[in-house]
């Protein structure tokens, strides 16, 4: 059951991520009161009540209150997005974003596990914690998307397994890429167009 919940939460996190693709990876986590605090509190309370009622009315109410509090706190979490002129390398930014994911996953997952597990059972609390932690982590970080995409492309031979090392070498030693703030760009527009043309021609075959 835990595995199914984790997969479901990951899918939901991908569809409703509060970090937009154009915003880029995050530099950390902050908490800002917004409408999602209320949404998270309501959703947590309903979920906690539904999970806790089978264990008794008292447990249902206690679980609803605890889960509502966890949902409210999670609803206010937000990623700190760097500006494009930030003095940090793309590799360092990716490391910070990965830390954001792990922090969100662990903290929110642990809180949900305690909130649900106290009023229900240890197994149900663990499943809820894994699911909720994955949902919050994938919603507040882009690292997991990078990791998944890199794995799929590398497995097909489309990119190197050590992609960031490859890009850093292309920038520092080969002169193919340049750094523009926190991202890499092609140094020569003609090369970019040439590679794009080859890629489009390959897809048409």
């Amino acid at each position: 059951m835990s595995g199914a919940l984790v997969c479901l939460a990951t899918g939901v996190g991908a569809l409703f991520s509060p970090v937009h693709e154009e915003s880029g990876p995050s530099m950390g986590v902050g908490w800002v009161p917004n409408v999602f605090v209320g949404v998270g509190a309501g959703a947590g309370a309903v979920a906690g009540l539904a999970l806790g009622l089978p264990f008794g009315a008292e447990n249902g109410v206690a679980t609803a209150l605890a889960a509502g509090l966890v949902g409210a706190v999670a609803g206010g979490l937000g990623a700190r997005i760097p500006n494009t002129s930030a003095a940090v390398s793309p590799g360092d930014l990716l490391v910070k974003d990965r830390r954001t994911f792990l922090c969100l996953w662990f903290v929110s997952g642990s809180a949900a596990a305690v909130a649900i597990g106290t009023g229900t059972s240890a197994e149900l609390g663990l499943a809820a914690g894994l699911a909720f932690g994955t949902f919050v982590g994938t919603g507040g970080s882009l690292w997991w998307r990078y990791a998944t995409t890199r794995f799929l492309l590398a497995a097909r031979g489309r990119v190197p397994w050590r992609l960031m090392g490859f890009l850093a070498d292309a920038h520092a030693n080969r002169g193919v890429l340049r750094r523009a703030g926190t991202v890499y760009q092609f140094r020569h527009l003609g090369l970019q167009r040439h590679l794009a043309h080859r890629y489009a021609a390959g897809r048409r075959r």
Side-chain angles (χ1 to χ4, degrees), residues 18 30-49 62-78 104 107-116 128-129 131-133 135-136:
W31 194 85
V32 180
N34 59 76
V35 65
F36 291 105
V37 173
V39 173
V46 171
L49 187 64
T63 304
L65 292 175
L69 178 60
V70 172
V73 173
L77 292 177
L104 288 172
V107 173
S108 60
S110 298
V114 172
I116 300 297
F132 189 69
F135 171 76
V136 176

Side-chain angles (χ1 to χ4, degrees), residues 77-169:
L77 292 177
R80 294 192 293 110
I81 306 300
N83 57 59
T84 55
S85 61
V88 59
S89 70
D92 290 338
L93 181 58
L94 187 64
V95 170
K96 291 179 181 294
D97 192 61
R98 181 176 62 207
R99 290 174 181 169
T100 299
F101 171 83
L102 294 174
C103 178
L104 288 172
W105 180 82
F106 178 77
V107 173
S108 60
S110 298
V114 172
I116 300 297
T118 301
T120 58
S121 66
E123 293 76 11
L124 190 57
L126 177 61
L130 287 172
F132 189 69
T134 303
F135 171 76
V136 176
T138 55
S141 166
L142 295 183
W143 169 79
W144 71 279
R145 300 186 186 187
Y146 160 80
T148 302
T149 302
R150 184 196 62 175
F151 176 82
L152 294 175
L153 291 177
R156 297 169 58 188
R158 304 294 294 274
V159 300
W161 284 102
R162 301 186 61 179
L163 179 57
M164 293 307 299
F166 172 80
L167 295 177
D169 178 70

